[in-house]
Amino acid sequence: MGKITALAAVAALALAGCGSDDDSDDDTAKSGGNALDCAAAKGDGPNVGIAYDVGGQGDKSFNDAAAVGVKKAVDELDATCTEAEAQDGEAESAREDRLRQLADGGHNPILAVGFLYSESVNKVAPDYPEVNFDVVDGFDPDDQPNENVAYLGFAEEQGSFLVGAAAALKSKTGTVGFVGGVNSDLINKFEAGYVAGAKQAKPDIKVQVKYIEESDASGFNDPAGGKAAATGMFDQGADVVYHAAGGSGAGVFQAAVEAGDGMWAIGVDSDQWLTASKSEKPHILTSMLKRVDVASFDAIKAVDEGKPLVGYKVYDLKSDGVGYATSGGYVDDIEGELNGYADEIKSGKIKVSAAP
């Protein structure tokens, strides 16, 4: 799998006992109303360390989904937790230091959110053989998995296929778009599935594709870049734009609002309609659900039961690892078609490629 290394000075290590504040509209529920507050977790269950990627809790996307899984562990397994957050442009050593600080603090498991933690976990895990590390979207850089590391992957191409079909079925212009945060093997899976789904639903559909960054991880935390990319697509005739860009997706939503009535955006990872502002809600057609919450909770529960996850585990449509959101009711009229595609993917009748 492709690797991204952030090239910049080491940013300050940020360990926090609670989540970051959400400064969005008053009607917006952070993490779908499921915000994690580690300061209030006082149980005697697993002591979870969660290392977020850039943006941390409150990104209304990938990190928030992981936080929901940890919160479930707090509620159901009596877990306690400590949060740590990556900083934009930090050096690889900062990620290693963050993981070591969590391990030294007695946390087990340590949940590293995002494939950018793969190399740092690979270096740190051997020094803490009694600690279990779980890397969301992770990969083993040396193809020699450590016995205390699990890599939690997803069939993003399958979920993206469904929202691609939704985009094509809802498009009135015959043109849709895809905005990726960083041009990497992981985000290519979202693109591949989205294009395939759109073409399955309407073979003559046109799909515009734009990546905010080719290799710099800042592409996941650049709302202005997301807005510029999506605005360009709307200007060129697209009326539905799907993002797989983390925090940059906020700019895609803004672009849809400014593009006017009948212009749609599609969210990613979590149900982003739930955390959208009043002005954004009428423009969020659906979201590709990537159940990071399910994987995160599974990893914590496994440690609690004394059977920690090891190696690669993939969450797909069959395991409810990916899917699509129906909030807002905008895809109610095509839900039967989308579910039909989902059934065909589950049965193997439709095989979705992970490469564009």
Side-chain angles (χ1 to χ4, degrees), residues 7 18 39 47 116 205 213 241 267 302 344 350 352:
L7 303 176
C18 60
N47 185 9
L116 288 172
I205 197 81
E213 294 287 345
V241 176
E344 290 185 279
I350 293 178
V352 187

Side-chain angles (χ1 to χ4, degrees), residues 43-178:
D44 57 4
N47 185 9
V48 184
I50 178 169
Y52 295 115
D53 209 338
V54 174
Q57 190 180 178
D59 71 344
K60 304 178 186 177
S61 184
F62 194 71
N63 290 308
D64 273 356
V68 170
V70 177
K71 185 177 186 299
K72 184 178 181 181
V74 170
D75 294 340
E76 298 184 12
L77 304 178
D78 216 17
T80 55
C81 55
T82 297
E83 298 173 279
E85 180 181 331
Q87 304 301 307
D88 196 7
E90 69 181 9
E92 184 68 24
S93 58
R95 291 181 183 270
E96 294 174 24
D97 290 344
R98 182 173 303 110
L99 295 173
R100 290 184 186 282
Q101 190 165 341
L102 288 170
D104 289 338
H107 297 87
N108 187 28
I110 293 176
L111 185 67
V113 185
F115 70 98
L116 288 172
Y117 278 104
S118 297
E119 299 215 21
S120 54
V121 166
N122 189 55
K123 293 180 181 178
V124 172
D127 295 337
Y128 299 90
E130 302 304 315
V131 176
N132 297 284
F133 294 81
D134 300 279
V135 192
V136 177
D137 279 341
F139 62 94
D140 177 23
D142 297 332
D143 291 324
Q144 295 179 342
N146 292 293
E147 293 183 356
N148 59 331
V149 178
Y151 304 102
L152 312 178
F154 301 82
E156 294 94 350
E157 69 279 6
Q158 294 182 357
S160 295
F161 183 101
L162 300 181
V163 299
L169 291 170
K170 285 291 187 176
S171 177
K172 295 181 178 179
T173 65
T175 300
V176 299
F178 171 81

Side-chain angles (χ1 to χ4, degrees), residues 88 181-182 212-213 216-222 248:
D88 196 7
V182 179
I212 299 171
E213 294 287 345
D216 193 323
S218 65
F220 293 122
N221 195 34
D222 182 7
S248 301

Side-chain angles (χ1 to χ4, degrees), residues 8 32 35 43 51 60 91 93 105 124 173 199 202 204 239 253 257 261 288 297 306 317 338 351-352:
K60 304 178 186 177
S93 58
V124 172
T173 65
K199 295 289 186 181
K202 287 186 179 178
D204 60 347
D239 58 353
F253 296 158
V257 172
D261 294 343
M288 196 286 279
F297 178 77
L317 275 173
L338 299 182
K351 299 185 184 300
V352 187

Side-chain angles (χ1 to χ4, degrees), residues 80 98 188 326 341 353:
T80 55
R98 182 173 303 110
N188 290 164
T326 59
Y341 287 135
S353 174

